[in-house]
Amino acid sequence: MGQISGVETLVMALKINGVKRIYSVVGIPVTDFARLAQNERIDYVGFRREDAAVNAAGIPTSIVLNLADTCKLPQIQERGMV
Protein backbone atom coordinates (compact mmCIF):
# COMPACT_ATOMS: atom_id res chain seq x y z
CA MET A 1 0.00 0.00 0.00
CA GLY A 2 1.43 3.38 -1.03
CA GLN A 3 1.68 6.44 1.12
CA ILE A 4 -1.02 9.09 1.03
CA SER A 5 0.17 12.67 0.58
CA GLY A 6 -0.98 15.60 2.69
CA VAL A 7 -2.86 17.01 -0.28
CA GLU A 8 -4.77 13.75 -0.75
CA THR A 9 -5.61 13.68 2.97
CA LEU A 10 -6.92 17.25 2.80
CA VAL A 11 -9.09 16.54 -0.25
CA MET A 12 -10.50 13.38 1.36
CA ALA A 13 -11.35 15.32 4.54
CA LEU A 14 -13.08 18.06 2.54
CA LYS A 15 -15.10 15.49 0.58
CA ILE A 16 -16.13 13.60 3.73
CA ASN A 17 -17.30 16.88 5.28
CA GLY A 18 -19.44 17.76 2.29
CA VAL A 19 -17.41 20.62 0.82
CA LYS A 20 -18.62 21.30 -2.71
CA ARG A 21 -16.60 24.38 -3.71
CA ILE A 22 -13.17 25.83 -2.87
CA TYR A 23 -12.08 29.42 -3.43
CA SER A 24 -8.33 30.01 -3.60
CA VAL A 25 -5.47 31.94 -5.13
CA VAL A 26 -4.05 30.31 -8.26
CA GLY A 27 -0.42 29.28 -8.04
CA ILE A 28 2.09 26.45 -8.13
CA PRO A 29 1.58 25.31 -4.51
CA VAL A 30 -2.17 24.99 -5.14
CA THR A 31 -2.02 23.16 -8.48
CA ASP A 32 -1.95 19.58 -7.13
CA PHE A 33 -4.58 20.39 -4.54
CA ALA A 34 -6.92 21.95 -7.13
CA ARG A 35 -6.47 19.07 -9.56
CA LEU A 36 -7.18 16.42 -6.92
CA ALA A 37 -10.17 18.37 -5.61
CA GLN A 38 -11.63 18.60 -9.11
CA ASN A 39 -11.09 14.86 -9.58
CA GLU A 40 -13.26 14.34 -6.49
CA ARG A 41 -15.99 16.59 -7.97
CA ILE A 42 -15.18 19.56 -5.72
CA ASP A 43 -15.40 22.80 -7.68
CA TYR A 44 -12.22 24.87 -7.62
CA VAL A 45 -12.59 28.61 -8.21
CA GLY A 46 -9.24 30.33 -8.66
CA PHE A 47 -8.43 34.00 -8.22
CA ARG A 48 -5.36 36.17 -8.62
CA ARG A 49 -5.89 38.05 -5.38
CA GLU A 50 -6.75 36.79 -1.90
CA ASP A 51 -9.29 39.53 -1.23
CA ALA A 52 -11.25 38.57 -4.35
CA ALA A 53 -11.34 34.92 -3.24
CA VAL A 54 -12.53 35.89 0.24
CA ASN A 55 -15.25 38.16 -1.14
CA ALA A 56 -16.47 35.50 -3.57
CA ALA A 57 -16.54 32.84 -0.85
CA GLY A 58 -18.71 35.04 1.35
CA ILE A 59 -21.35 35.79 -1.27
CA PRO A 60 -23.36 32.51 -1.04
CA THR A 61 -23.50 32.77 2.75
CA SER A 62 -24.59 36.38 2.59
CA ILE A 63 -27.34 35.56 0.12
CA VAL A 64 -28.66 32.67 2.24
CA LEU A 65 -28.65 34.69 5.46
CA ASN A 66 -30.30 37.70 3.83
CA LEU A 67 -32.94 35.45 2.27
CA ALA A 68 -33.52 33.73 5.63
CA ASP A 69 -33.99 37.09 7.32
CA THR A 70 -36.33 38.33 4.59
CA CYS A 71 -38.42 35.14 4.60
CA LYS A 72 -38.20 34.76 8.40
CA LEU A 73 -37.04 31.16 8.25
CA PRO A 74 -37.29 29.86 11.83
CA GLN A 75 -34.55 27.21 11.51
CA ILE A 76 -31.94 29.83 10.66
CA GLN A 77 -33.19 32.35 13.22
CA GLU A 78 -33.26 29.78 16.05
CA ARG A 79 -29.58 29.10 15.50
CA GLY A 80 -28.83 32.79 15.81
CA MET A 81 -27.38 32.98 12.31
CA VAL A 82 -29.34 36.10 11.39
Side-chain angles (χ1 to χ4, degrees):
M1 184 159 112
Q3 290 185 338
I4 298 175
S5 71
V7 173
E8 291 170 321
T9 303
L10 178 59
V11 170
M12 285 190 299
L14 292 172
K15 180 119 176 126
I16 288 169
N17 285 289
V19 172
K20 301 210 182 318
R21 184 172 297 124
I22 301 167
Y23 299 88
S24 181
V25 178
V26 177
I28 296 300
V30 180
T31 305
D32 286 342
F33 171 67
R35 181 180 47 79
L36 288 172
Q38 289 173 333
N39 287 344
E40 292 296 323
R41 299 188 189 276
I42 298 174
D43 292 336
Y44 174 81
V45 184
F47 293 86
R48 291 185 181 200
R49 295 174 40 139
E50 290 177 13
D51 58 335
V54 169
N55 290 336
I59 289 171
T61 302
S62 177
I63 291 170
V64 168
L65 293 180
N66 287 334
L67 180 62
D69 189 39
T70 302
C71 298
K72 306 296 183 205
L73 297 176
Q75 314 88 302
I76 303 288
Q77 291 178 338
E78 286 173 5
R79 294 182 184 168
M81 297 172 71
V82 198

